[in-house]
């Protein structure tokens, strides 16, 4: 079975440009979360989507946006790129969402490595 | 504001010995804690978790201990194996499985 797949795996952009990262969750998973991992730090929560609705947003500026499609895949968009946006962007999917779910284990993709020059 | 802290960036341990990784948190609303393991060029993979209503959870060579009063948890790996060499992240959750707060990670190196 395919795990969480992300594309592209690596990309280089320049300041001010825009980037779109894509994620396909594990088949049957309806929840997708996005995380940013800067070198030397742990992943930091950006967004969570469940059943195509935003269910949570981390402390990131409005330049960051995301959406989830009817097939539960997701895109993360970052506008007006800054040097500080250089990071590994991780997508994770889970079967459940709420605290009462017993199947909430997060499965991560390998990430998209973004370099902003 | 770092609500989950792993104060040891690295740990070196001999094969066969015990590895002890520590994690502290500040938010008393956290009620579920997880450990993830990450190899280079791979995404984090779930290792073990513990609910705040428990103080210990075991899974094979891995045991997690939770001390709620001290807001402290630890991961014990016994015995350590070379394949355990990886970065280990402590994570905490409040209201949603998808919204985790991670620590900065501890790089574990298991030497022969």
């Amino acid at each position: 079975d395919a795990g969480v797949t992300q594309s592209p795996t690596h990309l280089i952009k320049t300041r001010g440009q825009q980037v779109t990262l894509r994620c396909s969750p594990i088949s049957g998973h309806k929840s997708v979360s996005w995380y940013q991992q800067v070198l030397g730090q742990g992943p930091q929560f950006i967004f969570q989507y469940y059943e195509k609705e935003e269910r949570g947003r981390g402390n990131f500026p409005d330049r960051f946006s995301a959406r989830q499609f009817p097939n539960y895949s997701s895109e993360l968009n970052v506008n007006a790129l800054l040097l500080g946006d250089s990071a590994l962007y991780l997508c994770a999917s889970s079967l459940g969402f709420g605290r009462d779910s017993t199947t909430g284990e997060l499965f991560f993709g390998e990430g998209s490595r973004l370099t902003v020059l | 504001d770092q609500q989950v802290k792993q104060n040891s960036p690295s740990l070196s341990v001999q094969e066969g010995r015990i590895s002890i990784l520590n994690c502290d948190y500040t938010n008393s609303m956290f009620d579920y804690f997880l450990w993830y393991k990450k190899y280079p060029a791979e995404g984090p993979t779930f290792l073990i978790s513990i609910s705040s209503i428990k103080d210990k959870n075991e899974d094979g060579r891995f045991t997690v201990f939770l001390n709620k009063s001290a807001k402290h948890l630890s991961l014990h790996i016994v015995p350590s194996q070379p394949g355990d060499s990886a970065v280990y992240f402590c994570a905490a959750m409040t209201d949603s499985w998808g919204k985790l707060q991670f620590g900065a990670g501890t790089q574990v190196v298991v030497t022969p």
Side-chain angles (χ1 to χ4, degrees):
Chain A
D1 285 346
V4 177
T5 57
Q6 293 186 242
S7 64
T9 54
H10 295 82
L11 68 165
I12 299 173
K13 294 284 188 178
T14 56
R15 280 178 296 174
Q17 284 189 312
Q18 175 262 345
V19 69
T20 298
L21 308 177
R22 296 175 178 83
C23 172
S24 292
I26 291 173
S27 177
H29 283 195
K30 298 179 179 179
S31 176
V32 169
S33 297
W34 287 95
Y35 289 81
Q36 179 196 64
Q37 186 181 7
V38 174
L39 197 62
Q41 297 181 21
Q44 190 171 358
F45 172 74
I46 310 175
F47 285 109
Q48 182 186 17
Y49 277 77
Y50 179 71
E51 288 284 16
K52 292 154 280 183
E53 289 188 12
E54 182 182 307
R55 298 301 186 107
R57 184 186 182 112
N59 188 24
F60 280 81
D62 291 343
R63 298 184 297 107
F64 289 76
S65 63
R67 54 180 174 168
Q68 186 177 33
F69 298 99
N71 66 353
Y72 302 108
S73 67
S74 178
E75 284 183 354
L76 174 70
N77 295 284
V78 187
N79 293 321
L81 285 167
L82 303 174
L83 296 180
D85 295 331
S86 295
L88 179 68
Y89 288 85
L90 294 162
C91 174
S93 74
S94 64
L95 194 60
F97 161 70
R99 286 293 285 115
D100 58 345
S101 170
T102 59
T103 54
E105 178 189 334
L106 275 185
F107 293 84
F108 283 86
E110 294 184 357
S112 294
R113 171 77 59 188
L114 171 66
T115 301
V116 182
L117 301 176
Chain B
D1 180 27
Q2 194 78 5
Q3 298 185 40
V4 178
K5 298 179 183 178
Q6 294 176 256
N7 292 319
S8 298
S10 63
L11 173 70
S12 183
V13 63
Q14 273 192 316
E15 183 178 1
R17 307 294 288 266
I18 183 171
S19 295
I20 299 177
L21 291 78
N22 294 302
C23 177
D24 296 294
Y25 62 96
T26 57
N27 189 342
S28 58
M29 298 300 292
F30 289 144
D31 59 359
Y32 204 84
F33 303 90
L34 308 92
W35 285 92
Y36 280 81
K37 176 179 178 180
K38 187 179 186 301
Y39 294 115
E42 294 184 12
T45 55
F46 171 76
L47 197 56
I48 191 169
S49 62
I50 187 166
S51 165
S52 60
I53 62 173
K54 296 184 176 181
D55 55 15
K56 178 182 174 181
N57 188 29
E58 262 182 284
D59 184 1
R61 297 186 297 114
F62 303 91
T63 303
V64 56
F65 297 92
L66 175 63
N67 183 333
K68 278 188 66 177
S69 60
K71 293 190 176 68
H72 177 85
L73 63 155
S74 61
L75 174 68
H76 292 207
I77 306 173
V78 184
S80 299
Q81 299 174 354
D84 296 332
S85 296
V87 177
Y88 290 78
F89 291 102
C90 171
M93 182 177 82
T94 50
D95 56 1
S96 164
W97 288 103
K99 193 165 68 175
L100 300 179
Q101 296 256 14
F102 283 85
T106 296
Q107 172 77 61
V108 172
V109 176
V110 180
T111 57

PDB file of all heavy atoms in Angstrom, chain B residues 77-110:
ATOM      1  N   ILE B  77      15.012   2.889  25.741  1.00  0.00           N
ATOM      2  CA  ILE B  77      15.223   1.888  24.702  1.00  0.00           C
ATOM      3  C   ILE B  77      16.203   0.870  25.259  1.00  0.00           C
ATOM      4  O   ILE B  77      17.357   1.201  25.563  1.00  0.00           O
ATOM      5  CB  ILE B  77      15.790   2.518  23.415  1.00  0.00           C
ATOM      6  CG1 ILE B  77      14.916   3.679  22.943  1.00  0.00           C
ATOM      7  CG2 ILE B  77      15.877   1.461  22.313  1.00  0.00           C
ATOM      8  CD1 ILE B  77      15.504   4.459  21.771  1.00  0.00           C
ATOM      9  N   VAL B  78      15.719  -0.375  25.428  1.00  0.00           N
ATOM     10  CA  VAL B  78      16.559  -1.428  25.998  1.00  0.00           C
ATOM     11  C   VAL B  78      16.328  -2.751  25.260  1.00  0.00           C
ATOM     12  O   VAL B  78      15.189  -3.211  25.212  1.00  0.00           O
ATOM     13  CB  VAL B  78      16.252  -1.658  27.500  1.00  0.00           C
ATOM     14  CG1 VAL B  78      17.217  -2.694  28.089  1.00  0.00           C
ATOM     15  CG2 VAL B  78      16.337  -0.356  28.279  1.00  0.00           C
ATOM     16  N   PRO B  79      17.369  -3.409  24.753  1.00  0.00           N
ATOM     17  CA  PRO B  79      18.719  -2.876  24.597  1.00  0.00           C
ATOM     18  C   PRO B  79      18.812  -2.018  23.341  1.00  0.00           C
ATOM     19  O   PRO B  79      18.081  -2.234  22.369  1.00  0.00           O
ATOM     20  CB  PRO B  79      19.558  -4.147  24.453  1.00  0.00           C
ATOM     21  CG  PRO B  79      18.630  -5.101  23.756  1.00  0.00           C
ATOM     22  CD  PRO B  79      17.239  -4.788  24.265  1.00  0.00           C
ATOM     23  N   SER B  80      19.717  -1.086  23.322  1.00  0.00           N
ATOM     24  CA  SER B  80      19.902  -0.244  22.143  1.00  0.00           C
ATOM     25  C   SER B  80      20.583  -1.041  21.030  1.00  0.00           C
ATOM     26  O   SER B  80      21.482  -1.852  21.290  1.00  0.00           O
ATOM     27  CB  SER B  80      20.757   0.980  22.494  1.00  0.00           C
ATOM     28  OG  SER B  80      20.119   1.756  23.481  1.00  0.00           O
ATOM     29  N   GLN B  81      20.145  -0.778  19.807  1.00  0.00           N
ATOM     30  CA  GLN B  81      20.695  -1.467  18.639  1.00  0.00           C
ATOM     31  C   GLN B  81      21.174  -0.431  17.622  1.00  0.00           C
ATOM     32  O   GLN B  81      20.652   0.692  17.603  1.00  0.00           O
ATOM     33  CB  GLN B  81      19.619  -2.360  18.008  1.00  0.00           C
ATOM     34  CG  GLN B  81      19.098  -3.454  18.928  1.00  0.00           C
ATOM     35  CD  GLN B  81      17.945  -4.225  18.326  1.00  0.00           C
ATOM     36  OE1 GLN B  81      17.431  -3.886  17.252  1.00  0.00           O
ATOM     37  NE2 GLN B  81      17.519  -5.289  19.012  1.00  0.00           N
ATOM     38  N   PRO B  82      22.119  -0.800  16.761  1.00  0.00           N
ATOM     39  CA  PRO B  82      22.624   0.175  15.774  1.00  0.00           C
ATOM     40  C   PRO B  82      21.502   0.789  14.921  1.00  0.00           C
ATOM     41  O   PRO B  82      21.572   1.960  14.571  1.00  0.00           O
ATOM     42  CB  PRO B  82      23.587  -0.669  14.926  1.00  0.00           C
ATOM     43  CG  PRO B  82      24.070  -1.723  15.865  1.00  0.00           C
ATOM     44  CD  PRO B  82      22.882  -2.056  16.738  1.00  0.00           C
ATOM     45  N   GLY B  83      20.470   0.019  14.625  1.00  0.00           N
ATOM     46  CA  GLY B  83      19.346   0.523  13.834  1.00  0.00           C
ATOM     47  C   GLY B  83      18.531   1.571  14.553  1.00  0.00           C
ATOM     48  O   GLY B  83      17.668   2.224  13.936  1.00  0.00           O
ATOM     49  N   ASP B  84      18.777   1.752  15.840  1.00  0.00           N
ATOM     50  CA  ASP B  84      18.062   2.785  16.604  1.00  0.00           C
ATOM     51  C   ASP B  84      18.682   4.165  16.398  1.00  0.00           C
ATOM     52  O   ASP B  84      18.130   5.165  16.866  1.00  0.00           O
ATOM     53  CB  ASP B  84      18.087   2.454  18.108  1.00  0.00           C
ATOM     54  CG  ASP B  84      17.340   1.175  18.441  1.00  0.00           C
ATOM     55  OD1 ASP B  84      16.394   0.825  17.703  1.00  0.00           O
ATOM     56  OD2 ASP B  84      17.725   0.513  19.428  1.00  0.00           O
ATOM     57  N   SER B  85      19.818   4.223  15.721  1.00  0.00           N
ATOM     58  CA  SER B  85      20.460   5.512  15.458  1.00  0.00           C
ATOM     59  C   SER B  85      19.553   6.344  14.563  1.00  0.00           C
ATOM     60  O   SER B  85      19.285   5.983  13.409  1.00  0.00           O
ATOM     61  CB  SER B  85      21.819   5.305  14.783  1.00  0.00           C
ATOM     62  OG  SER B  85      22.699   4.615  15.647  1.00  0.00           O
ATOM     63  N   ALA B  86      19.070   7.453  15.097  1.00  0.00           N
ATOM     64  CA  ALA B  86      18.087   8.290  14.412  1.00  0.00           C
ATOM     65  C   ALA B  86      17.840   9.523  15.264  1.00  0.00           C
ATOM     66  O   ALA B  86      18.376   9.648  16.368  1.00  0.00           O
ATOM     67  CB  ALA B  86      16.772   7.531  14.209  1.00  0.00           C
ATOM     68  N   VAL B  87      17.011  10.417  14.765  1.00  0.00           N
ATOM     69  CA  VAL B  87      16.554  11.548  15.576  1.00  0.00           C
ATOM     70  C   VAL B  87      15.199  11.176  16.180  1.00  0.00           C
ATOM     71  O   VAL B  87      14.315  10.681  15.477  1.00  0.00           O
ATOM     72  CB  VAL B  87      16.419  12.840  14.741  1.00  0.00           C
ATOM     73  CG1 VAL B  87      15.878  13.973  15.607  1.00  0.00           C
ATOM     74  CG2 VAL B  87      17.763  13.224  14.136  1.00  0.00           C
ATOM     75  N   TYR B  88      15.069  11.404  17.467  1.00  0.00           N
ATOM     76  CA  TYR B  88      13.829  11.084  18.173  1.00  0.00           C
ATOM     77  C   TYR B  88      13.140  12.377  18.597  1.00  0.00           C
ATOM     78  O   TYR B  88      13.739  13.241  19.238  1.00  0.00           O
ATOM     79  CB  TYR B  88      14.120  10.218  19.400  1.00  0.00           C
ATOM     80  CG  TYR B  88      14.549   8.826  19.022  1.00  0.00           C
ATOM     81  CD1 TYR B  88      15.852   8.578  18.586  1.00  0.00           C
ATOM     82  CD2 TYR B  88      13.653   7.756  19.066  1.00  0.00           C
ATOM     83  CE1 TYR B  88      16.250   7.302  18.215  1.00  0.00           C
ATOM     84  CE2 TYR B  88      14.046   6.486  18.701  1.00  0.00           C
ATOM     85  CZ  TYR B  88      15.347   6.276  18.273  1.00  0.00           C
ATOM     86  OH  TYR B  88      15.741   5.007  17.892  1.00  0.00           O
ATOM     87  N   PHE B  89      11.866  12.480  18.226  1.00  0.00           N
ATOM     88  CA  PHE B  89      11.075  13.653  18.573  1.00  0.00           C
ATOM     89  C   PHE B  89      10.012  13.274  19.595  1.00  0.00           C
ATOM     90  O   PHE B  89       9.303  12.284  19.437  1.00  0.00           O
ATOM     91  CB  PHE B  89      10.384  14.224  17.336  1.00  0.00           C
ATOM     92  CG  PHE B  89      11.310  14.843  16.334  1.00  0.00           C
ATOM     93  CD1 PHE B  89      11.662  14.167  15.182  1.00  0.00           C
ATOM     94  CD2 PHE B  89      11.816  16.116  16.541  1.00  0.00           C
ATOM     95  CE1 PHE B  89      12.509  14.743  14.248  1.00  0.00           C
ATOM     96  CE2 PHE B  89      12.664  16.700  15.614  1.00  0.00           C
ATOM     97  CZ  PHE B  89      13.018  16.015  14.471  1.00  0.00           C
ATOM     98  N   CYS B  90       9.890  14.099  20.589  1.00  0.00           N
ATOM     99  CA  CYS B  90       8.800  14.037  21.547  1.00  0.00           C
ATOM    100  C   CYS B  90       7.700  14.960  21.033  1.00  0.00           C
ATOM    101  O   CYS B  90       7.990  16.048  20.511  1.00  0.00           O
ATOM    102  CB  CYS B  90       9.328  14.503  22.910  1.00  0.00           C
ATOM    103  SG  CYS B  90       8.090  14.739  24.170  1.00  0.00           S
ATOM    104  N   ALA B  91       6.440  14.531  21.143  1.00  0.00           N
ATOM    105  CA  ALA B  91       5.331  15.360  20.672  1.00  0.00           C
ATOM    106  C   ALA B  91       4.180  15.279  21.660  1.00  0.00           C
ATOM    107  O   ALA B  91       4.019  14.279  22.365  1.00  0.00           O
ATOM    108  CB  ALA B  91       4.884  14.919  19.286  1.00  0.00           C
ATOM    109  N   ALA B  92       3.381  16.337  21.687  1.00  0.00           N
ATOM    110  CA  ALA B  92       2.251  16.391  22.610  1.00  0.00           C
ATOM    111  C   ALA B  92       1.012  16.893  21.885  1.00  0.00           C
ATOM    112  O   ALA B  92       1.105  17.640  20.903  1.00  0.00           O
ATOM    113  CB  ALA B  92       2.576  17.304  23.789  1.00  0.00           C
ATOM    114  N   MET B  93      -0.140  16.453  22.383  1.00  0.00           N
ATOM    115  CA  MET B  93      -1.396  16.766  21.717  1.00  0.00           C
ATOM    116  C   MET B  93      -2.421  17.270  22.722  1.00  0.00           C
ATOM    117  O   MET B  93      -2.432  16.841  23.873  1.00  0.00           O
ATOM    118  CB  MET B  93      -1.923  15.497  21.068  1.00  0.00           C
ATOM    119  CG  MET B  93      -3.199  15.655  20.290  1.00  0.00           C
ATOM    120  SD  MET B  93      -3.660  14.112  19.512  1.00  0.00           S
ATOM    121  CE  MET B  93      -4.441  13.307  20.868  1.00  0.00           C
ATOM    122  N   THR B  94      -3.291  18.162  22.255  1.00  0.00           N
ATOM    123  CA  THR B  94      -4.394  18.612  23.109  1.00  0.00           C
ATOM    124  C   THR B  94      -5.733  18.168  22.540  1.00  0.00           C
ATOM    125  O   THR B  94      -6.416  17.338  23.123  1.00  0.00           O
ATOM    126  CB  THR B  94      -4.406  20.141  23.241  1.00  0.00           C
ATOM    127  OG1 THR B  94      -4.328  20.718  21.936  1.00  0.00           O
ATOM    128  CG2 THR B  94      -3.244  20.621  24.078  1.00  0.00           C
ATOM    129  N   ASP B  95      -6.105  18.701  21.389  1.00  0.00           N
ATOM    130  CA  ASP B  95      -7.468  18.459  20.949  1.00  0.00           C
ATOM    131  C   ASP B  95      -7.601  17.728  19.620  1.00  0.00           C
ATOM    132  O   ASP B  95      -8.696  17.374  19.225  1.00  0.00           O
ATOM    133  CB  ASP B  95      -8.215  19.794  20.843  1.00  0.00           C
ATOM    134  CG  ASP B  95      -7.506  20.773  19.924  1.00  0.00           C
ATOM    135  OD1 ASP B  95      -6.454  20.401  19.359  1.00  0.00           O
ATOM    136  OD2 ASP B  95      -7.989  21.906  19.781  1.00  0.00           O
ATOM    137  N   SER B  96      -6.522  17.529  18.932  1.00  0.00           N
ATOM    138  CA  SER B  96      -6.658  16.936  17.613  1.00  0.00           C
ATOM    139  C   SER B  96      -5.442  16.088  17.298  1.00  0.00           C
ATOM    140  O   SER B  96      -4.306  16.480  17.572  1.00  0.00           O
ATOM    141  CB  SER B  96      -6.809  18.020  16.543  1.00  0.00           C
ATOM    142  OG  SER B  96      -6.581  17.469  15.253  1.00  0.00           O
ATOM    143  N   TRP B  97      -5.698  14.925  16.696  1.00  0.00           N
ATOM    144  CA  TRP B  97      -4.597  14.033  16.353  1.00  0.00           C
ATOM    145  C   TRP B  97      -3.647  14.662  15.343  1.00  0.00           C
ATOM    146  O   TRP B  97      -2.488  14.300  15.269  1.00  0.00           O
ATOM    147  CB  TRP B  97      -5.151  12.735  15.754  1.00  0.00           C
ATOM    148  CG  TRP B  97      -5.803  11.865  16.757  1.00  0.00           C
ATOM    149  CD1 TRP B  97      -7.136  11.699  16.960  1.00  0.00           C
ATOM    150  CD2 TRP B  97      -5.152  11.014  17.710  1.00  0.00           C
ATOM    151  NE1 TRP B  97      -7.352  10.804  17.970  1.00  0.00           N
ATOM    152  CE2 TRP B  97      -6.152  10.357  18.452  1.00  0.00           C
ATOM    153  CE3 TRP B  97      -3.813  10.749  17.996  1.00  0.00           C
ATOM    154  CZ2 TRP B  97      -5.870   9.448  19.455  1.00  0.00           C
ATOM    155  CZ3 TRP B  97      -3.515   9.837  19.008  1.00  0.00           C
ATOM    156  CH2 TRP B  97      -4.539   9.201  19.724  1.00  0.00           C
ATOM    157  N   GLY B  98      -4.164  15.567  14.537  1.00  0.00           N
ATOM    158  CA  GLY B  98      -3.293  16.099  13.487  1.00  0.00           C
ATOM    159  C   GLY B  98      -2.466  17.279  13.901  1.00  0.00           C
ATOM    160  O   GLY B  98      -1.588  17.724  13.174  1.00  0.00           O
ATOM    161  N   LYS B  99      -2.762  17.812  15.101  1.00  0.00           N
ATOM    162  CA  LYS B  99      -2.118  19.053  15.526  1.00  0.00           C
ATOM    163  C   LYS B  99      -1.213  18.748  16.704  1.00  0.00           C
ATOM    164  O   LYS B  99      -1.636  18.758  17.855  1.00  0.00           O
ATOM    165  CB  LYS B  99      -3.193  20.071  15.909  1.00  0.00           C
ATOM    166  CG  LYS B  99      -2.674  21.483  16.055  1.00  0.00           C
ATOM    167  CD  LYS B  99      -3.838  22.487  16.073  1.00  0.00           C
ATOM    168  CE  LYS B  99      -4.679  22.377  17.301  1.00  0.00           C
ATOM    169  NZ  LYS B  99      -5.727  23.426  17.354  1.00  0.00           N
ATOM    170  N   LEU B 100       0.032  18.411  16.401  1.00  0.00           N
ATOM    171  CA  LEU B 100       0.982  18.041  17.436  1.00  0.00           C
ATOM    172  C   LEU B 100       1.991  19.149  17.651  1.00  0.00           C
ATOM    173  O   LEU B 100       2.353  19.881  16.729  1.00  0.00           O
ATOM    174  CB  LEU B 100       1.732  16.767  17.038  1.00  0.00           C
ATOM    175  CG  LEU B 100       0.894  15.511  16.807  1.00  0.00           C
ATOM    176  CD1 LEU B 100       1.790  14.349  16.396  1.00  0.00           C
ATOM    177  CD2 LEU B 100       0.101  15.155  18.044  1.00  0.00           C
ATOM    178  N   GLN B 101       2.460  19.232  18.892  1.00  0.00           N
ATOM    179  CA  GLN B 101       3.557  20.142  19.230  1.00  0.00           C
ATOM    180  C   GLN B 101       4.789  19.264  19.427  1.00  0.00           C
ATOM    181  O   GLN B 101       4.782  18.360  20.259  1.00  0.00           O
ATOM    182  CB  GLN B 101       3.248  20.886  20.526  1.00  0.00           C
ATOM    183  CG  GLN B 101       2.049  21.798  20.431  1.00  0.00           C
ATOM    184  CD  GLN B 101       2.445  23.248  20.329  1.00  0.00           C
ATOM    185  OE1 GLN B 101       3.608  23.561  20.081  1.00  0.00           O
ATOM    186  NE2 GLN B 101       1.498  24.140  20.523  1.00  0.00           N
ATOM    187  N   PHE B 102       5.828  19.542  18.656  1.00  0.00           N
ATOM    188  CA  PHE B 102       7.028  18.728  18.698  1.00  0.00           C
ATOM    189  C   PHE B 102       8.150  19.422  19.467  1.00  0.00           C
ATOM    190  O   PHE B 102       8.254  20.658  19.463  1.00  0.00           O
ATOM    191  CB  PHE B 102       7.544  18.461  17.276  1.00  0.00           C
ATOM    192  CG  PHE B 102       6.779  17.409  16.528  1.00  0.00           C
ATOM    193  CD1 PHE B 102       5.626  17.728  15.830  1.00  0.00           C
ATOM    194  CD2 PHE B 102       7.227  16.092  16.502  1.00  0.00           C
ATOM    195  CE1 PHE B 102       4.925  16.758  15.136  1.00  0.00           C
ATOM    196  CE2 PHE B 102       6.535  15.117  15.794  1.00  0.00           C
ATOM    197  CZ  PHE B 102       5.390  15.459  15.118  1.00  0.00           C
ATOM    198  N   GLY B 103       8.999  18.604  20.082  1.00  0.00           N
ATOM    199  CA  GLY B 103      10.250  19.109  20.608  1.00  0.00           C
ATOM    200  C   GLY B 103      11.269  19.227  19.483  1.00  0.00           C
ATOM    201  O   GLY B 103      10.994  18.866  18.336  1.00  0.00           O
ATOM    202  N   ALA B 104      12.460  19.694  19.824  1.00  0.00           N
ATOM    203  CA  ALA B 104      13.493  19.936  18.811  1.00  0.00           C
ATOM    204  C   ALA B 104      14.214  18.668  18.380  1.00  0.00           C
ATOM    205  O   ALA B 104      14.941  18.676  17.386  1.00  0.00           O
ATOM    206  CB  ALA B 104      14.500  20.955  19.324  1.00  0.00           C
ATOM    207  N   GLY B 105      14.014  17.582  19.122  1.00  0.00           N
ATOM    208  CA  GLY B 105      14.614  16.317  18.728  1.00  0.00           C
ATOM    209  C   GLY B 105      15.916  16.020  19.451  1.00  0.00           C
ATOM    210  O   GLY B 105      16.632  16.918  19.897  1.00  0.00           O
ATOM    211  N   THR B 106      16.202  14.731  19.577  1.00  0.00           N
ATOM    212  CA  THR B 106      17.467  14.251  20.134  1.00  0.00           C
ATOM    213  C   THR B 106      18.071  13.271  19.145  1.00  0.00           C
ATOM    214  O   THR B 106      17.418  12.288  18.770  1.00  0.00           O
ATOM    215  CB  THR B 106      17.266  13.537  21.490  1.00  0.00           C
ATOM    216  OG1 THR B 106      16.760  14.466  22.445  1.00  0.00           O
ATOM    217  CG2 THR B 106      18.585  12.966  22.005  1.00  0.00           C
ATOM    218  N   GLN B 107      19.303  13.540  18.715  1.00  0.00           N
ATOM    219  CA  GLN B 107      20.014  12.649  17.795  1.00  0.00           C
ATOM    220  C   GLN B 107      20.646  11.533  18.623  1.00  0.00           C
ATOM    221  O   GLN B 107      21.504  11.790  19.468  1.00  0.00           O
ATOM    222  CB  GLN B 107      21.092  13.420  17.041  1.00  0.00           C
ATOM    223  CG  GLN B 107      22.010  12.539  16.201  1.00  0.00           C
ATOM    224  CD  GLN B 107      21.358  12.081  14.910  1.00  0.00           C
ATOM    225  OE1 GLN B 107      20.982  12.894  14.073  1.00  0.00           O
ATOM    226  NE2 GLN B 107      21.235  10.777  14.732  1.00  0.00           N
ATOM    227  N   VAL B 108      20.231  10.317  18.367  1.00  0.00           N
ATOM    228  CA  VAL B 108      20.794   9.160  19.071  1.00  0.00           C
ATOM    229  C   VAL B 108      21.756   8.428  18.150  1.00  0.00           C
ATOM    230  O   VAL B 108      21.422   8.138  16.991  1.00  0.00           O
ATOM    231  CB  VAL B 108      19.680   8.199  19.533  1.00  0.00           C
ATOM    232  CG1 VAL B 108      20.276   6.914  20.092  1.00  0.00           C
ATOM    233  CG2 VAL B 108      18.785   8.874  20.567  1.00  0.00           C
ATOM    234  N   VAL B 109      22.949   8.163  18.666  1.00  0.00           N
ATOM    235  CA  VAL B 109      23.930   7.375  17.930  1.00  0.00           C
ATOM    236  C   VAL B 109      24.271   6.146  18.771  1.00  0.00           C
ATOM    237  O   VAL B 109      24.716   6.286  19.916  1.00  0.00           O
ATOM    238  CB  VAL B 109      25.206   8.183  17.637  1.00  0.00           C
ATOM    239  CG1 VAL B 109      26.246   7.306  16.962  1.00  0.00           C
ATOM    240  CG2 VAL B 109      24.874   9.384  16.763  1.00  0.00           C
ATOM    241  N   VAL B 110      24.020   4.976  18.214  1.00  0.00           N
ATOM    242  CA  VAL B 110      24.334   3.724  18.907  1.00  0.00           C
ATOM    243  C   VAL B 110      25.612   3.164  18.300  1.00  0.00           C
ATOM    244  O   VAL B 110      25.668   2.861  17.107  1.00  0.00           O
ATOM    245  CB  VAL B 110      23.192   2.708  18.774  1.00  0.00           C
ATOM    246  CG1 VAL B 110      23.547   1.412  19.510  1.00  0.00           C
ATOM    247  CG2 VAL B 110      21.894   3.296  19.311  1.00  0.00           C
TER     248      VAL B 110
END
